[in-house]
Amino acid sequence: MARVALVTGGTRGIGAAISKALKAAGYKVAANYGGNDAAAEKFKGETGIPVYKWDVSSFEACSEGIKKVEAELGPIDVLINNAGITRDTAFHKMSLEQWSAVINTNLGSLFNMTRPIIEGMRARKFGRIINISSINGQKGQFGQVNYSAAKAGDIGFTKALALETAKAGITVNVICPGYINTEMVQAVPKDVLEKSILPLIPVGRLGEPEEIARTVVFLAADEAGAITGSTLSVNGGQYMA
C-alpha cells in the first residue's frame, strides 16, 4: 500500500514541486494550502492531488485538517513542513504583528503539524518528517530578523526531535534552499537579480523547485532510515555550512 504524504504550502512554488514529485514516486499525496483558492483549484485540476485548506499557524486548524486527511487517505507516514510567509522590514521598524505572523507560521506550524501526527508514527514505528528551512536561517539576512529567527528555529527543532524519535523509526531532517526560481524570486527586479544575487551563487544560477523536490523524495524513502538530524543545503554553493 502506498504511503501517505502531507505537504504544507503544497500547491504553489517549492511545495507544488514537492507534491508532484512525491506523487510521481508513488505516494498518496495531500497538499495543504492557506489562502489562494484559485491556485489550489488549478493545481488540483492539473495534478489530481487532493487539496486541503487550513491555517498552519493554528493548532486547532491543523488538528482538524490532519483528521480529515487521514480519514480520506489513511495514516500520514511522511510530513513535509514547507508552508512559510515573509513580512520583511528592518527590525527597528518591525511591528509585533509582523514578528508574530512569521514566527507562528514558519516555526509554530512545525509544532502544530507534527504534534498531532507524531504519536501515530511512533505507534507504527515509521515516519519521515522533512522541514523546509532557508539559507537565511543559516546565515541571517538584512530585513529578515523574523524570518531568519523562525528558519533557524526550524533547524533546532529538527535536531532535537530527531534525537527523540530515532529509536521509534522516525527520521527528521531539514532542507535549507537558497535562491530558488519561484514566483517570489521572479518578482525581484532583473537588474538586482543579475548584479546582486547571481554573482553570489558559485554555480551561477538559481536553483529549481524540482531540485528541492528531489531532495525531499530522497529523504522520504524507506531506504533513507539512517539519515536523521541532517541539514541539507541546496543553495548552489552560496553558503557552505
Side-chain angles (χ1 to χ4, degrees):
M1 183 177 293
R3 294 199 181 279
V4 176
L6 172 57
V7 185
T8 67
T11 63
R12 299 171 63 195
I14 291 172
I18 292 170
S19 296
K20 293 174 187 177
L22 287 168
K23 182 181 180 182
Y27 293 84
K28 292 168 65 176
V29 180
N32 154 268
Y33 74 102
N36 193 325
D37 294 321
E41 287 305 313
K42 180 181 178 184
F43 171 85
K44 180 181 178 181
E46 292 175 348
T47 66
I49 295 172
V51 298
Y52 299 83
K53 183 178 182 179
W54 73 79
D55 177 7
V56 295
S57 71
S58 164
F59 181 77
E60 291 76 15
C62 290
S63 296
E64 290 304 312
I66 288 165
K67 286 179 184 177
K68 184 175 182 181
V69 171
E70 293 196 322
E72 295 180 4
L73 301 183
I76 295 164
D77 299 303
V78 179
L79 172 63
I80 316 300
N81 286 310
N82 167 73
I85 62 171
T86 57
R87 297 289 186 269
D88 296 352
T89 189
F91 184 74
H92 69 277
K93 299 178 181 178
M94 187 175 292
S95 68
L96 177 59
E97 188 281 328
Q98 289 170 317
W99 169 265
S100 298
V102 171
I103 295 296
N104 292 341
T105 298
N106 297 11
L107 177 57
S109 64
L110 270 62
F111 177 87
N112 297 339
M113 290 297 303
T114 307
R115 184 62 184 85
I117 289 174
I118 197 73
E119 291 185 39
M121 288 182 171
R122 289 174 64 88
R124 295 187 300 275
K125 299 295 183 182
F126 180 89
R128 298 285 183 265
I129 299 167
I130 303 166
N131 302 315
I132 308 300
S133 178
S134 168
I135 185 175
N136 294 339
Q138 296 174 296
K139 72 175 187 62
Q141 178 62 37
F142 185 95
Q144 287 196 328
V145 170
N146 48 4
Y147 185 84
S148 295
K151 291 300 186 179
D154 293 347
I155 297 171
F157 176 100
T158 297
K159 292 179 179 180
L161 187 59
L163 289 173
E164 292 189 14
T165 61
K167 290 185 178 179
I170 303 165
T171 66
V172 191
N173 294 288
V174 61
I175 299 170
C176 291
Y179 283 93
I180 305 299
N181 189 23
T182 61
E183 290 179 21
M184 186 189 312
V185 174
Q186 289 167 3
V188 175
K190 186 177 180 181
D191 61 325
V192 173
L193 190 64
E194 293 180 351
K195 294 178 181 178
S196 301
I197 294 176
L198 290 179
L200 300 176
I201 305 173
V203 300
R205 66 172 177 85
L206 300 175
E208 294 297 331
E210 291 74 18
E211 292 177 299
I212 307 299
R214 283 194 290 273
T215 309
V216 169
V217 172
F218 167 70
L219 292 173
D222 284 23
E223 297 81 2
I227 305 170
T228 195
S230 293
T231 303
L232 278 73
S233 297
V234 187
N235 60 37
Q238 184 180 352
Y239 183 80
M240 301 183 188

